[in-house]
Amino acid sequence: MKQRILIIDDDADLCRLLRNNLEQEGYFVCIRHDGAAGLEELRSGDYQLVVLDIMLPLKNGYEVLGEIREKSFVPVLMLTARDSEGDKVSGLRMGADDYLTKPFANSEFLARVSSLLRRYTVFNAANAGEKTITAGGLSIDGTGREVRKDGRLLELTAKEFDLLLFFAENQGKVFTKKQIYRAVWKEEYAFDDNNIMVHIRRLRKKIEDNPENPKYILTVWGVGYKMGGERE
């Protein structure tokens, strides 16, 4: 089955070029020229990669990326005519997986696409058959809903376990409080930062050697949280 790629960019000439090159490599490609149409297509189709421009009509690339990350972890390759370090940092912090500044060589574009698709495919294949996630001294059994640290069973509440499993399944990715709340609480975010912070503080007390200097649940200042430790 062909891997499916969604391109959201208002440059019609560039889109035709990218589609031709990608189709020659055996990919299925869909194109949308504004942010709102791109989001609608992503919701209705199964895509393994999104190529997303920043400067878009109706919804800009940052807005589109934010909405994608509320519900999906599909890889996103951002494109921009800007050559600002700040733009790149903003996109990556919001959840973009990679970044290309226009103009770019076709060979580099295809290499980035191939790399993102390969990582995504390998990650999903690993998770599909994986019942236990091991990170550092933690062993997280998603089926039995048990967590052990250095072989010792930890007593976590249901929400603490859900929170830890979410981080473990997405290790290394940075999430905002809004994204965490929607993914773990399964509710619309109502700026309930205190609820999230209390659960993270309690979770750290149970899994960290030193909760004041955590190595598993890490704070990314100004953005949110991510899980550290090495996944095995």
Side-chain angles (χ1 to χ4, degrees):
M1 182 179 295
K2 290 185 178 182
Q3 291 176 301
R4 296 167 59 87
I5 298 174
L6 173 62
I7 299 176
I8 310 175
D9 195 310
D10 62 344
D11 186 332
D13 291 335
L14 176 62
C15 287
R16 280 194 294 270
L17 176 63
L18 295 181
R19 177 163 59 186
N20 289 340
N21 292 332
L22 288 168
E23 287 179 345
Q24 288 179 13
E25 297 295 319
Y27 301 114
F28 171 88
V29 180
C30 179
I31 294 172
R32 292 294 181 265
H33 294 302
D34 67 72
L39 284 169
E40 182 177 355
E41 176 61 33
L42 184 60
R43 284 192 289 266
S44 64
D46 179 24
Y47 290 93
Q48 286 75 56
L49 176 67
V50 177
V51 178
L52 176 64
D53 189 29
I54 289 182
M55 302 301 292
L56 290 169
L58 301 185
K59 288 179 181 286
N60 67 42
Y62 293 131
E63 293 174 304
V64 173
L65 177 61
E67 293 195 36
I68 290 175
R69 283 295 173 256
E70 288 177 359
K71 298 181 179 179
S72 172
F73 302 112
V74 62
V76 176
L77 172 60
M78 295 202 78
L79 306 180
T80 179
R82 301 175 180 177
D83 192 15
S84 166
E85 193 68 25
D87 291 332
K88 295 180 181 180
V89 170
S90 296
L92 293 171
R93 281 184 171 177
M94 291 180 65
D97 295 273
D98 205 350
Y99 214 105
L100 268 178
T101 302
K102 302 175 184 178
F104 48 81
N106 180 57
S107 58
E108 181 178 9
F109 172 73
L110 291 176
R112 301 286 184 97
V113 166
S114 177
S115 176
L116 288 172
L117 286 171
R118 184 168 58 252
R119 283 158 45 191
Y120 183 66
T121 301
V122 169
F123 176 80
N124 283 350
N127 280 352
E130 185 176 77
K131 296 182 179 179
T132 300
I133 300 173
T134 303
L138 292 178
S139 178
I140 304 158
D141 181 355
T143 301
R145 293 183 65 83
E146 290 185 346
V147 178
R148 295 179 182 273
K149 181 179 180 182
D150 300 325
R152 177 174 57 89
L153 183 64
L154 303 181
E155 293 186 7
L156 303 186
T157 66
K159 193 61 68 179
E160 289 167 354
F161 179 86
D162 291 342
L163 187 60
L164 179 60
L165 182 63
F166 170 72
F167 280 120
E169 288 178 335
N170 300 283
Q171 192 160 341
K173 287 184 175 288
V174 180
F175 295 96
T176 64
K177 295 184 181 73
K178 181 178 181 180
Q179 291 170 329
I180 295 168
Y181 197 86
R182 287 188 169 182
V184 178
W185 273 258
K186 311 295 185 185
E187 299 173 0
E188 285 300 312
Y189 181 69
F191 299 99
D192 193 5
D193 287 0
N194 187 60
N195 194 11
I196 295 174
M197 293 169 68
V198 166
H199 277 82
I200 288 178
R201 183 167 63 248
R202 290 174 178 170
L203 180 58
R204 280 173 169 166
K205 287 182 178 179
K206 295 179 179 181
I207 68 173
E208 302 284 358
D209 293 330
N210 179 3
E212 301 302 319
N213 185 27
K215 68 176 183 179
Y216 292 115
I217 307 300
L218 307 180
T219 300
V220 181
W221 297 108
V223 184
Y225 299 93
K226 70 174 182 178
M227 185 167 184
E230 295 184 1
R231 181 167 176 168
E232 300 173 5

